[in-house]
Amino acid sequence: MGDFGNPFATGADDAGHTAEEIDAILNDLQGTDVSDFDIPAIATLPTLESILNEDDTDGGGSFFDSSAFNNSAASYTSGVEDASIASFDVVSGASAIRKCAESLKVNDSLIKLAKLRKVSAETIKQKSPSKFGNPTVVLIGSRLAIGTSTGYVHVFDLTQKLVCRCSPPAAEIGPVSAIDANRDERRLLVGFAKGLLALYDLQTGKHLQTMEDVHSFECSILSIKFTDNPNMAIFTDNGGSVYALEFKSTLGRKSASSTCIFSGSKGEAFAAEPLLVSEKFPLHRFSETFIVAVVSLNKLIIAELKPVLRSVFSFPLEASPTKPPLLEWHIVTIQTGDNSKSVEPVLAVATGRQIVFVQVSAVVGEAAPKCSFIQRTTLEFDIMNIKWMNNYLLSVIDIAERLHVVDIRSQSVIDSVDISFVGLTYQSSFYKGLATTRSVSQAMALAGDSSCSQSIGMYQGQIVLLGNNGVFVASLRMWFERVERLVSKEKELEAIKFVLDIYSGQAKGVLGLTRDAQERRGILRRQVRSLIQTAIDRCLKSVPVHGKIDILKEHFEAVIPVCMEACTATGDYEFLFGSLYDRFSLDVMARSVYLQCLEPMILNDDLDDLSPGVFKDFIELYESRDQFVSIEACVVRLKVSSFDIHQVVGVCRQYDLFDGLAYVFTTAFADARTPLEEYLLRLRREMRGKPNLPDEIVALGNKLIVYLSCCLNGLTYPSGLPNDTHASAIALDVFQSLLARHSRSPDDAEPVFVHLRTLLDFNTRETLNVFAMAFNQPYFNDAKGLEFQQQLVDRLQQVVVHGEDFEPTHVSAVFTFIARLMTKPDAKIVINRMLIEQTLEVLCVADSRSRHDERETAVMELYHSGVLKHIGDKLVMKLAETAKFFRLCEILYEKHNMYDKLLNCYLDDSLRKGYIFGFLQRVLISPLYEEADRQLVRDAFIVRFADLLALDRAKTAQLTVSSLWNDVPRLLKVISSDIMGQYLFVKALFDFVLRTPSTATGSEGTAFPMEYHDIFIELMCQVRPDTVYDHIRSNDGFDADRALEVCRKYGLVKPMAYLLEKRGDADQALDILMEEFNRMVCHYLVSQRDEASTEEYEKTLHATTDTARLVMDFCQRVGMKMDQPSREKMWLRVLEFMLSAIKSTDATCGDSRKSDLRILCVDLLKCMTGHVDLLVFLKLILEDPAYRHGKFGELRDLLLGIVDAYSYETILLSSTRNLLYRDIHNQIDRKKKSASKAISVSNDTCKICDMSLRIASYSDDKEKTHLAVFRCGHAFHTVCLKNLQSTPSKSEKEPPRAFRCPECKHP
């Protein structure tokens, strides 16, 4: 058995079928036609039951006597209908729906409810006496059987007459809890709440047999179902077990035996449903195996009872006791892939809100049937009961006691009705075991709260509901009943829509129609016509006589469109343009609305043929309203036979409706030439002297081009559909008209080839595209067609060359078109070369006022098309250079390998300068070019170097490094007058090489040559002197002597000092710095005077401070490499200079500017700390006259800093010493503890001499009495260890080495 996906837990609907098979199954759920199968003839005469079964497919007639539902008029008076034969008592529907009521409000429900008055009266009448009790269960078939709470069973026939009454077989056996009849409905098997089973004659009510031994009295019978075998039944009890009951007759003695097929001890079964197929299909395979479905809360099982009991399918479920699972079988017709049909049973399994459909199929050659899930439907309510109404409709009752009709194909609820007034009878007491002494499980008790399966029955598509308020029948109305119901409520338009839905196949739950499609459409068409006539009568009778005109218009607009759409939907055009129009023509407003409704129907292609009289009225109406666009749109969509040609042509010409005029002429007269010539002349007149055309003229010109394209390509205008009748004749006639020299009635001012010239003037390119597409047609490629092509080429050349208003783009388009014609296979086009040369000269005239780009594009297209082959590239190149057609020059230069000129071509073209670097990289680097070509480009590169540099310096440098690295001096000479340009270029080279050193020169060592580097530094000294110092500090690869000379030449002190320092000449570097410092101080002293401006003073102070810090940094950097006396001498020199500067400051400046150099001196003293003895420079400062008479505050910061530094260094030294002592102490302590710890020896012999270690205690060899034990546990003789690790050359003064374990090298 296959593994099926869980449809209850997941969204999978199918685990055993493909999508195509599922679609086939669902599409064939429309009905089971017994006539499609070879069913044997019945020997006996047909019974009433067989007659009722004939219309099973469409839910055929009433379940009870047919006369009960014949009076359809009476059924409209109440939602609940009376099924009594005697009378139809009208039940009032004024009050709201209440429980236990016998009526519903009038509605348009698909569901029809009827009360069985006689049955209900008989049942309710027996309520008062305690002998019969209340109804508990119901059985529906050819007889209606109702069980009671006192053990009686009432049996009624189809006329609701009480046939018999079955008495209980014994006293105190409890209520009737389940009943069922066998296949021929001759025997009635009754189950009681106390577990007893009894058999009765259904025709007479006679008690036949009491079965006391087949079931325990401790469990109530919950359900009884006969199988296809009339002597076998399936029943369940509230213990959760399922039994197979079999009747036997031996020597005239009847007996019964039961077999438990599902034990409640392994899981309680809540429903068991046998499959019944033999009644309609006695030859079906499953009629012999007796399949039964059993379901519990957690499992679904399908088993075969014959020939042996076996499970053929099981699947886990997830159901709740409050919503127990339900089962229901049905037989459907399945259409297979080879278009054959088979009858297959489908099991509906309902749990909670889901219904899963399981198909059981008989597989040829296999003993076990195949079970597979085919669909899952999820509803919006909790299910309490399900019944099949027919092959595609299910009736579902929810826990709120509402009856729903569910369409299986669309998985939607199509109608619902409240049945709470029925007061359904529940079998809760049977599930809870109130009549027995045995307790039931909690799950079984909970399931009984919503169990009403024995109170609901289905027969022939009708549902019988057993309630405390009577017995009711729910069935589906026939389609004509629903229509009559709507008509009776004056809802003809809704009735029309309903019938149209049936006609289109969109309606659901339609019953009572024939299967023949043609006959069904005829019935519905006649019904629609009848409804329309009724709606028209009501509409014309209820015309409002007062109020505004809009009210009258709305009155007709509510009816007329629906009627007209109904006629078009059913194809009843005779009635639409006949009786319907005649009826509405009686009223002016109705006629107007009718004609307005034609427009959308025509535009939507619902109508393509009208009555000429109707369309004539339509044109007159729209003409009076100036709706000419609508007239034209409708004309081109209708057949010519629909209108008066004379009227339509007159209207089109009067109001310039070109589409309509062209459609009429081409369709009715096969004349496409007349409307084209007529409107081309009009377009010519409108274009004359107007540079900017109005929108309507542009639209007309576009229409003419489209019209021309349709005519030349054999299409119908404006639809674009192929014209199979006059395609070639129309095309050649129109083409000949375009080639004509003059129009039919020319005037003196008309130019030659007026029609062709008009189209070219309006849109040259699109006109030529139309010709190009047309020339692919076969009638333009025979002898006559090729002659037409040559004539067109000749006329195009004459029009273009001699035309004064043609732009260059138009000229190029024409000659490109001609060239393409010439390049076609087997082309025989001949052109006038002199005309081409004249055209080329005109296009290449160097006139700045003309359209340069358009002329260039035109010449390029001429060149690419091959028209200029006879002229030669040399002349074309000369003309292009004169006209400055750089793109054409590029093509010619590339073709003839003139790459040097190609470079100039790019640079001279302002729009294409950016492409020059891609071209240069391609030529200079690619191996596809010869060295001679590359040299030409290099020479041109050098000549135009300044332009390239101005265009993009970085890309120029990149190309220089990759291809002209050795030509850098030549390049610099080209821009020798631009020092800044030289610097920026060399800097770009340097930056590029610095980023990608491997691509520079390929030489070893530095990537940037020293020669170029020296040039770079010299240019930098001239242009960016402030960057020289940072450059020489961060880069190498230059000549230091040369750089020093250049820096000295341009007076760059800082780079000079750095270079001297780098060379090791610190004294000279210091001299240069001190000289610069002295110069800065002199400037400072000049600006320090009171008469100097603040701005000048701050500038010189900033420069002096920078120089002083430069000197201090130099001294700190160089002093680290000197001895103490030299270092102190250097620092004292700087200090003495600073003190002398301060002394000079005191003599020349005011009080506000005295402290600046003193602050600088304090910074100097801080820098000297750590390099010079403090006593030395403190003594020097204190003895200096500048500080001798000053205040202590001037030295306060300096002295406090020195004291703080001393204190910090003292504390740091003390802390470091203490940490060192502590670490040493901890290490010694750990070693002491480790040395005093005992060691376990792991070996008994010395691994060196292989002698026992124990010999050391009594050996005479004193050397052997000492042992060396390592911490790893290995022990050796000390003498052996010494001999092993002794060294012959060991010096006596050399300290002994620490021993290591020879085994593990552990110390």
Side-chain angles (χ1 to χ4, degrees), residues 559-577:
V559 178
I560 295 176
V562 177
C563 297
M564 296 179 66
E565 290 177 3
C567 291
T568 56
T570 58
D572 197 355
Y573 300 111
E574 180 182 356
F575 179 70
L576 174 63
F577 302 122

Side-chain angles (χ1 to χ4, degrees), residues 494-602:
E494 295 183 16
I496 293 173
K497 184 179 184 305
F498 172 65
V499 177
L500 291 180
D501 289 340
I502 301 176
Y503 192 89
S504 61
Q506 298 178 1
K508 302 171 184 176
V510 179
L511 303 177
L513 271 176
T514 179
R515 289 186 177 185
D516 184 81
Q518 185 174 359
E519 183 179 355
R520 181 169 62 249
R521 285 194 295 268
I523 294 173
L524 295 175
R525 188 180 297 111
R526 290 190 294 271
Q527 182 66 57
V528 169
R529 179 181 290 191
S530 175
L531 291 173
I532 291 175
Q533 290 175 344
T534 304
I536 293 173
D537 293 339
R538 190 180 303 279
C539 176
L540 295 177
K541 290 179 181 179
S542 59
V543 174
V545 295
H546 301 289
K548 297 181 179 180
I549 192 67
D550 294 339
I551 298 177
L552 181 61
K553 183 177 181 182
E554 292 176 359
H555 173 76
F556 287 113
E557 286 180 347
V559 178
I560 295 176
V562 177
C563 297
M564 296 179 66
E565 290 177 3
C567 291
T568 56
T570 58
D572 197 355
Y573 300 111
E574 180 182 356
F575 179 70
L576 174 63
F577 302 122
S579 301
L580 185 62
Y581 182 64
D582 295 339
R583 293 289 301 276
F584 287 129
S585 298
L586 301 177
D587 187 281
V588 177
M589 180 56 68
R591 175 177 174 274
S592 175
V593 173
Y594 177 95
L595 295 175
Q596 288 179 3
C597 293
L598 290 176
E599 180 184 358
M601 300 172 69
I602 296 172

Side-chain angles (χ1 to χ4, degrees), residues 119 122 143-144 146 154-158 160-163:
V119 175
E122 188 71 26
R143 294 286 187 269
L144 174 63
I146 299 177
H154 307 292
V155 181
F156 301 88
D157 62 7
L158 295 178
Q160 304 186 49
K161 178 181 178 181
L162 181 63
V163 176

Side-chain angles (χ1 to χ4, degrees), residues 183 188 212 495 604 665 875 914 922 1047 1133 1155 1192:
R183 186 179 62 182
L188 179 68
E212 300 178 351
N604 294 332
F665 269 85
L875 178 58
R922 173 167 53 89
C1047 293
R1133 176 184 175 185
S1155 60
F1192 177 73

